[in-house]
Amino acid sequence: MRPSIIHKSPAGLPVAPNLADYQSERERFSWATARAELPRLPGGGLNIADCAVTRHARGPNRDQVAFRFLSEQTSHELTYGDLDAQTNRFANVLAGLGVGRDDVVFVLAGRLPELYLAVLGSLKNGTPVSPLFSAFGPEPIATRLNAGSGTVLVTTTSLYLKKVAKICDQVPSLRHVLVVPDEPDEPLPPGTRDLTGLLAGASDVFTTVATQPEDLALLHFTSGTTGMPKGAMHVHDAVVTHWVTGRDALDLHPGDIFWCTADPGWVTGTSYGIIAPLLHGVTSIVDEAEFDAERWYAILSEQQVTVWYTAPTAIRMLMKAGPELAAARPRPDLRFVASVGEPLNPEAVWWGQEVLGLPIHDNWWQTETGGIMLANTPAFDILPGSMGRPLPGVDAAIVVRGAAGLELAGEDTEGELVLRSGWPGMFRGYLNDPERYARCFSGEWYLTGDLALRDAGGYYWFVGRADDVIKSAGHLIGPFEVESVLMEHPGVAEAGVIGKPDELAGELVKAFVSLKQGYQASDELRLEILGHARRRLGAAVAPKEIAFLDALPRTRSGKIMRRLLKARELGLPEGDTSTLEGGG
Ligand code: ATP
Ligand code: MG
């Protein structure tokens, strides 16, 4: 058995962590002080893009590389000065079209420079913006454009022709479609405008609109893991959360080369793939290509990445690809690795320690929270399997439903994870659904919908989403615990666990697993995995059934969709599959 803790010694780290003393920083912290560290605009204005881009372009970071865009063949850099000029051009394009603060820009593009220019340029113009996954099909695009009353769409010629042309007339609010040609001299589809030409003709001088902190800035749709995706509304003040969490949870330092692997179509790819690293004046790597284990190891090594923010799904795929690939690419510069999006199994944290030479720091947040809330930071020990502790400025608790309503739970008691309202990055509403938003709160607490427990050291442990918890023969079983044990078996690459209705037990635990390279599905292997789970979990909690799948259904942000496993198992309708990976 491995030990249950990874000890950290801040003194031995290559760079002194920003969050050196967790307790004293929590006591000292105030959001007002953090806000005061960011530049303001006339009249008390605060604008994300001004903080992220303009102030660096006017200071010593002007010639520092802000983004290095990698594609299969090429690499293209933008300094902070370039980014400022180009986003000014984009803002001028919008202003020239009469697009203002009451409009909404949607962006549907791969991870191209124009996507980043559109997001930051819209913010400069005071226009709220919503990046979408480019892999969405026409229906999900139309649904989201309508939900957000999109007036401008930025996309590429090929995406327009493939997906948007057929739904344009279903979106009455849409006034302008700006396309980036895939090839030079490509004919412009009717009804669209050429963004490249418009940018070239626009001035690179622009005065950022002095948005107020509570003005709408970003719309992000949730991953759709548990049901129909919801549109979360975020304001410019969220920049304070991006700033603080980039410092305390991701430990960004001047000179860092940071790689956030998330697509901006998912909140992580915007909060941490665009905004937070720019706020800290570091260089971000953006890879246009999709996951490929060899390519990813090459990027970490050749780009000299120092801080890497990725997701459990990617880590599981790297684990599946075997340790030899990792060994072939030295990573002397890599200093800090973090993960978000799903529970990170202890096995994966240890894999980091053993194969990457660095433990993986799990952190927890949601589209609704706008930024990281709980984290394993460089400054304290890691308990593999735990999401870490609340960051400075974040008050978390566990509540249970008692006779008198919600009650705060004690240590080691499973209940719903709640956060005290009032941090700047918190969503300000769900699009078109004020009732649902209101239901997320009980007094001062925001109810996250996730079940967890807190131990005596203040570490939080994920149990499961409230929707996914299994009730079997009087036991409440969190899928995460069962999945983590299944992943301890050397043949298991990923596991998803559901409750299957059963007359006697209420529900019985059924597991779906995919196997690592070199393993074949067989009854023998099934019995072996069942035996391992029974030994580790006991008969009451261990799965009764295991099915082998080539791959588990996942959202585009990489989360296992247990609701789909369940619907398929029970022959029920699959519900919203707009975010299903490989669909669309
Ligand atoms: P939907 O709300 O549409 O069902 P979603 O909740 O997956 O989708 P996101 O906002 O992208 O949409 O994901 C947030 C959720 O992801 C969290 O509520 C939690 O369930 C899960 N999650 C994120 N990070 C972690 C983590 N470190 N450990 C466990 N779960 C996590
Ligand atoms: Mg959610």
Side-chain angles (χ1 to χ4, degrees):
M1 275 297 276
R2 293 184 167 118
S4 55
I5 187 163
I6 298 180
H7 286 292
K8 295 281 199 60
S9 143
L13 295 172
V15 182
N18 292 327
L19 181 61
D21 184 335
Y22 175 72
Q23 289 304 348
S24 69
E25 185 56 24
R26 271 185 72 76
E27 282 156 30
R28 202 195 56 86
F29 184 88
S30 90
W31 286 111
T33 310
R35 191 177 287 105
E37 290 160 359
L38 293 169
R40 300 301 287 255
L41 290 167
L46 179 70
N47 184 293
I48 295 175
D50 176 65
C51 302
V53 184
T54 315
R55 91 174 146 137
H56 295 303
R58 292 198 180 132
N61 281 341
R62 184 174 176 78
D63 296 325
Q64 159 96 29
V65 175
F67 285 118
R68 184 171 301 136
F69 295 98
L70 310 178
S71 66
E72 298 280 2
Q73 281 88 28
T74 59
S75 134
H76 170 72
E77 290 182 347
L78 287 180
T79 64
Y80 278 88
D82 299 333
L83 187 63
D84 192 40
Q86 304 268 30
T87 50
N88 282 349
R89 286 178 188 273
F90 188 88
N92 276 319
V93 168
L94 289 185
L97 294 171
V99 172
R101 298 168 76 156
D102 296 331
D103 289 286
V104 177
V105 174
F106 277 77
V107 189
L108 177 80
R111 290 178 289 278
L112 308 174
E114 285 83 356
L115 157 59
Y116 295 75
L117 302 183
V119 169
L120 294 161
S122 298
L123 294 172
K124 281 188 170 177
N125 192 48
T127 314
V129 58
S130 181
L132 299 178
F133 275 108
S134 60
F136 278 150
E139 278 317 303
I141 296 169
T143 312
R144 285 162 179 74
L145 283 169
N146 279 323
S149 305
T151 45
V152 180
L153 176 67
V154 176
T155 187
T156 63
T157 312
S158 55
L159 287 171
Y160 177 82
L161 292 173
K162 253 191 274 162
K163 305 179 177 194
V164 182
K166 55 186 92 160
I167 51 111
C168 269
D169 56 359
Q170 295 169 33
V171 187
S173 55
L174 198 58
R175 291 209 318 271
H176 304 286
V177 178
L178 312 180
V179 295
V180 183
D182 299 278
E183 305 290 340
D185 305 325
E186 211 172 37
L188 195 64
T192 67
R193 287 163 184 268
D194 166 25
L195 179 61
T196 313
L198 288 172
L199 286 172
S203 157
D204 63 3
V205 179
F206 186 82
T207 304
T208 295
V209 171
T211 43
Q212 290 301 309
E214 287 302 311
D215 285 350
L216 188 60
L218 295 157
L219 298 180
H220 274 297
F221 292 86
T222 60
S223 291
T225 315
T226 55
M228 192 65 165
K230 298 147 272 180
M233 302 194 263
H234 290 282
V235 296
H236 279 272
D237 207 34
V239 71
V240 188
T241 294
H242 300 142
W243 163 247
V244 166
T245 52
R247 180 185 71 197
D248 293 346
L250 298 178
D251 199 41
L252 294 174
H253 282 69
D256 268 331
I257 308 233
F258 175 64
W259 185 24
C260 169
T261 60
D263 188 277
W266 178 32
V267 68
T268 306
T270 296
S271 292
Y272 298 100
I274 307 182
I275 301 167
L278 294 177
L279 292 171
H280 287 274
V282 305
T283 298
S284 275
I285 302 296
V286 176
D287 184 28
E288 210 193 302
E290 292 309 318
F291 176 86
D292 173 80
E294 270 193 82
R295 180 174 172 85
W296 279 34
Y297 282 125
I299 292 176
L300 287 172
S301 171
E302 286 162 16
Q303 298 298 325
Q304 303 174 320
V305 173
T306 55
V307 179
W308 189 34
Y309 195 22
T310 189
T313 181
I315 294 164
R316 287 193 297 261
M317 288 195 275
L318 292 176
M319 290 167 78
K320 201 170 175 177
E324 299 76 18
L325 282 181
R329 302 281 191 171
R331 295 164 298 277
D333 303 289
L334 191 61
R335 166 182 105 236
F336 187 71
V337 183
S339 158
V340 71
E342 278 195 294
L344 186 68
N345 312 85
E347 218 32 52
V349 179
W350 283 109
W351 173 86
Q353 181 81 346
E354 288 158 11
V355 175
L356 294 181
L358 293 168
I360 299 169
H361 296 76
D362 186 22
N363 58 50
W364 176 97
W365 58 291
Q366 306 177 305
T367 308
E368 290 86 343
T369 71
I372 303 169
M373 298 282 106
L374 310 178
N376 287 285
T377 76
F380 50 79
D381 297 339
I382 296 180
L383 308 180
S386 157
M387 306 186 280
R389 300 196 270 184
L391 287 174
V394 176
D395 272 331
I398 300 291
V399 298
V400 288
R401 284 177 205 280
L406 289 184
E407 294 166 9
L408 288 177
E411 280 163 17
D412 296 323
T413 305
E414 281 179 18
E416 185 166 355
L417 172 64
V418 299
L419 303 166
R420 196 187 302 277
S421 311
W423 71 97
M426 191 178 87
F427 70 140
R428 301 297 198 269
Y430 282 129
L431 279 176
N432 314 318
D433 203 347
E435 290 85 24
R436 182 161 199 159
Y437 181 68
R439 285 203 303 277
C440 293
F441 296 89
S442 173
E444 62 187 343
W445 296 107
Y446 162 64
L447 314 173
T448 66
D450 283 347
L451 303 182
L453 59 83
R454 186 186 64 246
D455 69 15
Y459 284 78
Y460 283 74
W461 300 76
F462 187 73
V463 172
R465 291 153 179 279
D467 296 11
D468 290 339
V469 166
I470 302 162
K471 298 177 196 77
S472 184
H475 297 277
L476 273 185
I477 301 170
F480 176 49
E481 185 186 8
V482 182
E483 290 161 7
S484 289
V485 164
L486 291 169
M487 289 210 30
E488 289 170 3
H489 186 281
V492 174
E494 40 176 18
V497 165
I498 62 160
K500 182 175 164 183
D502 178 78
E503 269 186 27
L504 278 181
E507 282 185 307
L508 58 80
V509 179
K510 170 149 190 175
F512 296 84
V513 301
S514 73
L515 296 174
K516 284 195 190 145
Q517 270 169 7
Y519 285 84
Q520 290 296 326
S522 68
D523 284 341
E524 212 182 332
L525 183 60
R526 178 180 293 117
L527 288 176
E528 194 183 306
I529 300 172
L530 279 172
H532 162 77
R534 242 176 243 154
R535 273 193 303 281
R536 291 277 287 113
L537 294 163
V541 176
K544 296 280 183 291
E545 291 177 24
I546 295 186
F548 295 110
L549 295 179
D550 289 340
L552 301 186
R554 275 191 292 248
T555 64
R556 295 194 189 285
S557 50
K559 297 160 193 259
I560 295 172
M561 289 171 101
R562 293 176 192 78
R563 71 173 163 97
L564 225 60
L565 289 171
K566 192 159 179 169
R568 287 175 183 174
E569 175 71 23
L570 305 183
L572 296 172
E574 295 197 344
D576 182 89
T577 52
S578 64
T579 61
L580 178 66
E581 195 182 63

